[in-house]
Amino acid sequence: MKKILCMVLGVFMAGSLVACQNTGGSGKTETGEKENKKTKITFALWDEVQKPVFDEIIEKFEAENKDIDVELQLTPWSQYWTKLDAAMGSDNAADVFWMNTYLPKYASAGVLEPLDEYIEKDGVNMEHYVKTVADSLQYDGRQYCLPKGIDTVQVFYNKAIFEKYNVAEPAKGWTWDEMVETADQLKDKISAAGSDEYPILMELDPQPSYFNFISQTGGFVISEDKKTAGFDQAGTIKAYQDIVDLIDAGLMPGNEVLSDTKGTDLFLSQKGAMLFMGSWKVPVLDEASFGEEIGTIAMPLKEDGNQSVIGGLGYAINSKSKEKEAAWKLVKYLAGEESNKLQAEAKIDVPALLSAQQYYRTKHIDAAVIFEAARTGYPFPTSLTVADWLPSLSEISGKIFAKEITPEEGCQQIQKAMQSVLDSES
């Protein structure tokens, strides 16, 4: 029996040796070809609404790049930046991730991979993207993201309300004074009818409202060199005063209403004639029961124009990624034609890629105003410490609109708080 076992074992070992010789002992098949081993990378985002579309995008990318396996990681906005900071500290962050106006903080810390060499190597033409967005994704003269989409601000209005009260709809080239006059007419007729619609609605957050008006009245949020806050400027104070004047005149609800019910929700309930709102709400408005009655127009002209603050995300690469070439392939694909087409058709974003904007089609809302605003707008104000000064800016602004302090008092407080943070950067 022992001899038989020895013979069997010997045959088995011999067979194993032959198998090892055939594979070279290093993962090769009998034909000497290396086994297909996929490169695994991770991609982080924060929007659950967009995730199903990106699942499809990743599936198409993997079909075209069979040697790359992408794991999509969804983290809610409320946890995204905390998780990213912790992951960066432990060298465990995703290979590719969404980045926004916080870019200076991360680029200056060296945790974002500069993309200039990749862009030059593959001949990516940055002029094919909305310039304001592409430029906003740079830091210290280097490109750190490829653009995803654009956010602009414009006015949406309910045609049925204007018709109901026999008031002329806004006309192209209208001014702020003409808007106030129109709102006054609406207010008087709404009151006479014993109804409760608001002539004007806003969401009193930086981008949908006051950041736009600050530039339009000759003020500024932060200087071009990112060293000086602009809340001591007459134009900046006037921007706040103009909003407070609308509230005082009863032309729009105050902060006590808008802090409980968003302006967009009131508009969707047909409780408002005009809504200052960003392009990111177009899909919701387009699907409204009265969508065919919603008109779109550029913001009214003020002293220095009607340009929109433009926001937009970008795709960044972790500078400590061990698979940068695969990460770059993914970023280039995400910012490319096919990916943008899928996002535009699903209306989850307005493409920053100019050639893909043709795919952003709506049933009722005129998207041409969005593209027009993108050509003349300016980037969301930011700096290295935007995450430190923006919350206090928003908090004090809320007190202004709640009538707890005057616009001048509030701007003085913002100036002091913001300048203190900016001074700490140097």
Side-chain angles (χ1 to χ4, degrees):
M1 181 63 70
K2 288 182 179 178
K3 289 182 179 179
I4 293 173
L5 287 173
C6 288
M7 290 175 62
V8 172
L9 182 60
V11 171
F12 175 78
M13 291 178 65
S16 297
L17 180 61
V18 171
C20 287
Q21 289 174 341
N22 286 337
T23 62
S26 59
K28 291 186 178 180
T29 65
E30 291 183 358
T31 59
E33 294 178 350
K34 190 173 182 180
E35 291 179 350
N36 290 325
K37 288 188 176 180
K38 291 189 175 183
T39 299
K40 294 186 177 182
I41 57 175
T42 49
F43 168 40
L45 49 77
W46 63 68
D47 192 342
E48 64 180 9
V49 175
Q50 297 195 34
K51 183 181 181 297
V53 178
F54 275 93
D55 285 335
E56 182 180 356
I57 291 171
I58 294 304
E59 184 177 343
K60 288 182 177 294
F61 171 78
E62 290 176 336
E64 295 180 20
N65 298 270
K66 298 185 183 301
D67 59 333
I68 301 176
D69 182 33
V70 181
E71 176 192 339
L72 195 151
Q73 299 177 343
L74 174 67
T75 303
W77 168 261
S78 60
Q79 304 168 26
Y80 185 87
W81 301 105
T82 302
K83 180 178 177 180
L84 181 60
D85 289 347
M88 287 293 185
S90 61
D91 295 343
N92 196 35
D95 298 285
V96 175
F97 45 86
W98 280 1
M99 181 52 57
N100 66 359
T101 54
Y102 292 168
L103 183 145
K105 168 186 173 181
Y106 293 94
S108 64
V111 297
L112 304 184
E113 177 77 0
L115 301 182
D116 304 85
E117 291 183 7
Y118 300 89
I119 290 169
E120 183 178 0
K121 179 187 68 174
D122 286 1
V124 176
N125 191 339
M126 296 305 295
E127 293 182 0
H128 290 171
Y129 297 93
V130 173
K131 186 177 188 305
T132 303
V133 177
D135 289 352
S136 72
L137 297 171
Q138 296 177 1
Y139 177 74
D140 201 21
R142 308 183 82 176
Q143 192 77 39
Y144 283 93
C145 295
L146 289 190
K148 179 184 184 296
I150 57 173
D151 295 330
T152 63
V153 178
Q154 45 279 308
V155 175
F156 302 95
Y157 62 93
N158 188 325
K159 299 177 182 179
I161 291 179
F162 279 86
E163 182 178 358
K164 175 181 177 180
Y165 295 109
N166 193 28
V167 174
E169 295 178 12
K172 186 175 182 179
W174 64 329
T175 66
W176 184 270
D177 288 341
E178 289 171 342
M179 181 198 72
V180 172
E181 182 180 347
T182 297
D184 275 326
Q185 293 177 32
L186 285 166
K187 177 195 170 188
D188 291 343
K189 294 189 176 184
I190 289 169
S191 178
S195 194
D196 60 354
E197 298 98 336
Y198 296 103
I200 299 171
L201 292 169
M202 297 180 190
E203 291 185 9
L204 296 175
D205 297 320
Q207 188 174 356
S209 60
Y210 50 91
F211 271 14
N212 299 281
F213 306 147
I214 286 173
S215 174
Q216 293 168 9
T217 50
F220 63 89
V221 175
I222 188 170
S223 60
E224 290 187 10
D225 63 7
K226 309 299 181 183
K227 294 181 179 179
T228 307
F231 287 81
D232 57 352
Q233 303 294 304
T236 304
I237 298 169
K238 185 178 187 305
Y240 281 90
Q241 187 65 58
D242 285 346
I243 297 176
V244 171
D245 288 346
L246 294 177
I247 296 171
D248 288 344
L251 302 181
M252 66 176 281
N255 201 51
E256 71 280 358
V257 173
L258 295 176
S259 60
D260 293 331
T261 307
K262 287 186 175 294
T264 303
D265 293 335
L266 288 168
F267 186 79
L268 289 169
S269 299
Q270 302 200 59
K271 293 298 182 183
M274 295 178 280
L275 171 70
F276 284 75
M277 183 37 58
S279 55
W280 57 91
K281 288 294 181 76
V282 164
V284 178
L285 298 174
D286 200 43
E287 296 297 328
S289 60
F290 63 103
E292 69 279 1
E293 296 292 342
I294 298 177
T296 315
I297 190 170
M299 286 182 289
L301 291 160
K302 298 192 78 178
E303 290 88 338
D304 276 26
N306 65 343
Q307 62 271 40
S308 167
V309 171
I310 298 180
L313 305 183
Y315 303 104
I317 295 177
N318 182 353
S319 65
K320 296 182 180 179
S321 170
K322 296 178 181 178
E323 304 293 350
K324 291 179 182 177
E325 286 300 326
W328 165 246
K329 284 185 179 180
L330 176 61
V331 164
K332 188 170 67 169
Y333 181 84
L334 291 172
E337 186 84 14
E338 187 170 48
S339 169
N340 274 280
K341 182 175 184 291
L342 290 170
Q343 294 179 65
E345 289 176 342
K347 291 188 290 188
I348 62 170
D349 212 348
V350 180
L353 182 65
L354 297 173
S355 62
Q357 291 180 349
Q358 62 181 308
Y359 305 118
Y360 190 84
R361 301 188 183 113
T362 54
K363 293 187 294 185
H364 307 298
I365 305 298
D366 181 8
V369 178
I370 299 172
F371 305 136
E372 181 181 344
R375 287 192 291 271
T376 60
Y378 66 100
F380 189 97
T382 189
S383 77
L384 282 175
T385 52
V386 61
D388 297 318
W389 55 256
L390 187 57
S392 60
L393 186 159
S394 298
E395 180 183 355
I396 298 170
S397 296
K399 292 180 180 179
I400 295 174
F401 303 132
K403 309 294 289 295
E404 296 175 16
I405 51 178
T406 67
E408 187 170 2
E409 290 169 340
C411 285
Q412 287 175 355
Q413 291 181 22
I414 294 172
Q415 179 71 21
K416 182 178 180 180
M418 184 173 171
Q419 192 61 54
S420 176
V421 174
L422 292 175
D423 290 343
S424 70
E425 291 182 12
S426 54

